[in-house]
Amino acid sequence: MKGGPLAERVRAEVADDVRELGQVGLATVQVGEDPASTIYIRRKHEAADEAGMHSVDRKLPASISQEELVEEVAALNADDGIDGILVQLPLPRGLDDAAAVTAIDPVKDVDGVHPFNAGELYLGRPTHVPATPLGIMALLDEHRVPLDGARAVVIGRSDIVGKPIAHLLLQAHATVTICHSHTDDLARQTLDADVLVVAAGVPEIVTTDMVKSGAAVVDVGINRTESGLVGDVDPDVAKVAAFLTPVPGGVGPMTIAMLLENTVRAARFRRGLLAFPGIRG
Ligand code: NAD
């Protein structure tokens, strides 16, 4: 289940949408200089530029105060040329992730992390949904993986991957189990999975003996090891599974494509072409 071809298609559609809308703006906020975050952000900007978007890359020092960070976000909220805002998480120690994301205007929250958007998803009304889970759902759909009535197991319960993908799978009528670092006997859960989404950030936490024959396995993990970039799933799982996303080249490209799609959606909300629910009427 490669992500590249579908991601290319989504990005081409986004470029058409940007041409149609005129101008679409995406801003990222990075605090500190974590090298991995810098790479992710650069890729997002390259993709935004390629799609014809206007993009703003705010780099702030790790010494910034919480108030100054919130002011930066408020300035982007007020900037009419910016449709989507993404604050790269986690923030350096001393800064509050939750306060920073709550400062984002929910309409511009293209990472789907504001409590309003997280709540909408929880209530079964996905509005702005984090890009990685959206990319996973698009890949499963592209490969016609049946979800209605399927047993889905998610490893990981983060706000950006584990919890939102569990909700999307639930809304697609799968029977969903969420596993995490306190789960006893992971294999007992995973062996039952028709669809297995692994987002633990632990190299090769899922091995061949933990996967049911014919399962669809989505490897979200990105781990830098001495032997290079590896996922959370042993590549040998491909011998057992019907589908396995590669690392790199699986979920990663889809995440970027869906972030761009979310930014186009934000532009439509802001122009009144789509109704943004609830608090903005
Ligand atoms: P996180 O660290 O916030 O969460 C990890 C989750 O895994 C936690 O809920 C934890 O309980 C669970 N976990 C950790 N060890 C475990 C174990 N031994 N058994 C069971 N569960 C365990 O991470 P995240 O932000 O959700 O990201 C997860 C992974 O996905 C990371 O490798 C990250 O780099 C990668 N990621 C990739 C993309 C992409 O676009 N491909 C996007 C986001 C995250």
Side-chain angles (χ1 to χ4, degrees):
M1 247 187 332
K2 282 193 179 151
L6 178 56
E8 277 306 313
R9 260 179 22 231
V10 172
R11 286 169 61 168
E13 282 164 22
V14 166
D16 286 345
D17 292 341
V18 172
R19 268 191 292 277
E20 193 188 305
L21 286 162
Q23 200 204 310
V24 176
L26 170 68
T28 59
V29 178
Q30 181 184 8
V31 185
E33 289 167 3
D34 175 61
S37 296
T38 303
I39 296 171
Y40 294 143
I41 286 180
R42 194 195 315 132
R43 292 211 183 112
K44 288 168 186 169
H45 283 282
E46 283 166 2
D49 293 345
E50 206 186 295
M53 287 184 190
H54 156 64
S55 80
V56 171
D57 184 2
R58 280 267 185 286
K59 294 211 187 296
L60 306 171
S63 58
I64 196 170
S65 70
Q66 187 71 43
E67 293 71 31
E68 287 168 321
L69 174 57
V70 167
E71 276 168 26
E72 289 283 345
V73 173
L76 293 169
N77 286 341
D79 185 339
D80 205 36
I82 296 299
D83 295 292
I85 303 170
L86 182 156
V87 176
Q88 188 73 28
L89 301 177
L91 294 167
R93 206 172 305 160
L95 293 169
D96 182 359
D97 287 6
V101 301
T102 306
I104 302 171
D105 182 339
V107 172
K108 296 192 178 188
D109 170 35
V110 287
D111 233 3
V113 286
H114 187 286
F116 175 79
N117 289 315
E120 286 287 284
L121 177 61
Y122 167 91
L123 293 171
R125 301 189 297 246
T127 303
H128 276 313
V129 177
T132 302
L134 278 183
I136 295 169
M137 293 303 281
L139 269 177
L140 293 172
D141 183 57
E142 172 81 357
H143 290 84
R144 296 192 166 75
V145 174
L147 297 177
D148 194 331
R151 287 184 183 274
V153 173
V154 177
I155 304 182
R157 57 174 165 182
S158 71
D159 294 342
I160 197 84
V161 188
K163 282 183 201 151
I165 189 63
H167 279 286
L168 292 174
L169 290 165
L170 184 63
Q171 284 160 30
H173 310 296
T175 302
V176 183
T177 301
I178 306 176
C179 303
H180 46 78
S181 51
H182 293 236
T183 299
D184 180 38
D185 194 357
L186 209 50
R188 195 175 135 208
Q189 308 298 334
T190 59
L191 273 170
D192 222 15
D194 303 308
V195 178
L196 177 59
V197 178
V198 192
V202 179
E204 302 189 359
I205 191 176
V206 170
T207 46
T208 312
D209 55 328
M210 295 168 71
V211 175
K212 181 159 102 176
S213 171
V217 182
V218 178
D219 187 355
V220 185
I222 303 176
N223 307 292
R224 286 177 175 74
T225 68
E226 280 173 9
S227 46
L229 210 64
V230 301
D232 287 358
V233 177
D234 180 346
D236 276 350
V237 163
K239 295 176 188 158
V240 185
F243 298 105
L244 171 64
T245 58
V247 176
V251 174
M254 287 306 298
T255 295
I256 293 182
M258 300 321 271
L259 170 68
L260 300 182
E261 200 176 87
N262 281 354
T263 308
V264 163
R265 187 178 310 103
R268 293 207 167 104
F269 284 140
R270 295 191 61 243
R271 286 158 182 70
L273 300 169
L274 272 180
F276 191 79
I279 54 175
R280 288 175 70 93

